[in-house]
Amino acid sequence: LHITLCMSPVGDLLRQRCRKFPSLVNCCTLNWFSRWPEEALLSVSQRFLQEVELPSEDVRRNLSEMCKTIHIDVEKSSADFYEELRRRVYTTPKSYLDLIKLYMIALERKRDECQLNKDRLTGGLKRLNETNRVIADMKIKLQDLQPKLIDKQQKLEVALKHVSEDQKFANEKEQIVSKEKEVVDVAASEAKEIADEAEAELNVLKPELDRADAEVRNINKNAIVEIKSFPNPPSAVVLVCEAVMILLGEGKDWSNVKIVLGDVNGFIDRLL
């Protein structure tokens, strides 16, 4: 059974573990991994960047060189920092791998942002083109409709003139109707007064009319036959018969009276 333990020398943790567990030194084979050479750094960056989509191989090669250079410059700056302030800043192969991974993540994020902005720009340009096309079509339609609009405007002016004339005529008619209404109202008032007077007179004469109606209903048919047989009736009979003929719309001469009285039942029905 082989057990492999990987520990970082950064900080005091490794020192404390060796002090607490001496077997880590006495009973283990220690392999100290020194810093990667420049060839290794370049090879690792090229290996990881091989999977990234880039414009050309020159760009890929330059990026690999850039990662190597950054890592080497950080190591030098860490050494200078220790010389000046006596404080360690460790750079390990894991730091180099994190650098490459960070670049790849940032590149992917920026590509997504660029693609999103590109899509927005493309959509905006498409809408602008569609809007320009619609505006151009509308301009053409407006040019085609311009003569019709002018004609409609002229017709509208003529119609407004006619409406104004009709309105003037209607106002004149309204004044005439208003005056005639006043005259009609006066006539209606007078007619109402006459109707009220006639109603009052009718109310006065109503009992006599009812009595006359009752007398008509009680007419003796034999009396009518007797009157019809008169060759020369008395003046009073002639006066009454003429009045009745006038009411019935018949002639007043005695010969016509005798004809009307010939149908006794019809004569009585006409009187009722």
Side-chain angles (χ1 to χ4, degrees):
L1 178 62
H2 296 275
I3 298 176
T4 302
L5 298 177
C6 297
M7 297 184 186
S8 175
V10 177
D12 297 332
L13 187 59
L14 179 60
R15 185 181 303 108
Q16 293 174 1
R17 289 173 178 172
C18 291
R19 198 164 48 238
K20 291 180 181 180
F21 309 101
S23 298
L24 291 175
V25 178
N26 300 329
C27 301
C28 296
T29 301
L30 300 180
N31 288 327
W32 295 90
F33 292 94
S34 59
R35 58 182 296 275
W36 287 356
E38 295 185 7
E39 293 78 7
L41 295 174
L42 183 61
S43 176
V44 170
S45 61
Q46 289 176 347
R47 172 65 183 81
F48 280 93
L49 293 176
Q50 190 67 33
E51 301 176 359
V52 180
E53 182 181 355
L54 296 173
S56 65
E57 291 300 324
D58 291 337
V59 174
R60 194 185 313 277
R61 183 170 54 257
N62 293 332
L63 287 176
S64 300
E65 291 288 344
M66 179 196 70
C67 294
K68 180 195 71 172
T69 303
I70 290 174
H71 187 74
I72 293 173
D73 290 343
V74 170
E75 287 181 340
K76 293 179 180 179
S77 298
S78 299
D80 296 338
F81 186 74
Y82 177 74
E83 292 294 332
E84 293 181 7
L85 302 177
R86 311 307 295 178
R87 296 183 61 181
R88 290 285 186 185
V89 177
Y90 295 95
T91 56
T92 64
K94 181 65 167 58
S95 303
Y96 184 64
L97 297 177
D98 290 340
L99 169 66
I100 298 174
K101 184 177 181 181
L102 178 62
Y103 170 76
M104 294 172 65
I105 293 174
L107 178 62
E108 186 66 24
R109 185 184 300 116
K110 287 298 180 180
R111 281 181 172 176
D112 293 340
E113 293 178 1
C114 292
Q115 185 63 37
L116 179 60
N117 294 332
K118 179 182 177 182
D119 294 340
R120 290 177 178 175
L121 180 61
T122 302
L125 292 175
K126 182 179 180 181
R127 291 187 180 90
L128 287 175
N129 292 332
E130 292 177 355
T131 303
N132 292 332
R133 186 174 65 255
V134 172
I135 292 174
D137 294 340
M138 292 180 65
K139 287 182 179 179
I140 295 174
K141 291 181 180 179
L142 287 176
Q143 291 177 357
D144 296 337
L145 292 174
Q146 191 66 25
K148 296 181 180 179
L149 292 176
I150 296 174
D151 183 62
K152 291 291 184 181
Q153 183 67 27
Q154 294 175 351
K155 291 181 179 179
L156 179 61
E157 293 176 356
V158 174
L160 290 175
K161 184 177 180 180
H162 290 167
V163 169
S164 178
E165 295 175 355
D166 293 341
Q167 183 66 33
K168 182 179 179 181
F169 179 75
N171 293 334
E172 295 175 354
K173 287 294 183 180
E174 183 179 3
Q175 294 177 357
I176 296 173
V177 170
S178 178
K179 293 179 181 179
E180 292 180 353
K181 182 177 180 298
E182 294 177 358
V183 175
V184 170
D185 291 340
V186 173
S189 178
E190 294 176 354
K192 186 174 183 304
E193 293 178 358
I194 295 173
D196 293 339
E197 293 177 359
E199 183 68 22
E201 293 178 359
L202 178 62
N203 291 334
V204 173
L205 298 176
K206 189 69 166 51
E208 297 181 5
L209 181 61
D210 293 338
R211 288 195 298 272
D213 183 69
E215 292 294 337
V216 170
R217 294 179 182 278
N218 295 326
I219 290 177
N220 191 345
K221 295 182 179 181
N222 294 328
I224 294 176
V225 174
E226 182 179 357
I227 292 172
K228 183 182 65 173
S229 62
F230 288 160
N232 294 312
S235 58
V237 173
V238 172
L239 180 61
V240 172
C241 288
E242 287 180 353
V244 172
M245 292 300 108
I246 291 173
L247 291 175
L248 296 179
E250 301 288 347
K252 298 186 294 181
D253 58 288
W254 183 248
S255 59
N256 187 63
V257 171
K258 293 174 68 175
I259 294 172
V260 174
L261 295 178
D263 184 6
V264 178
N265 293 328
F267 175 69
I268 293 174
D269 291 339
R270 291 179 69 183
L271 291 178
L272 296 176

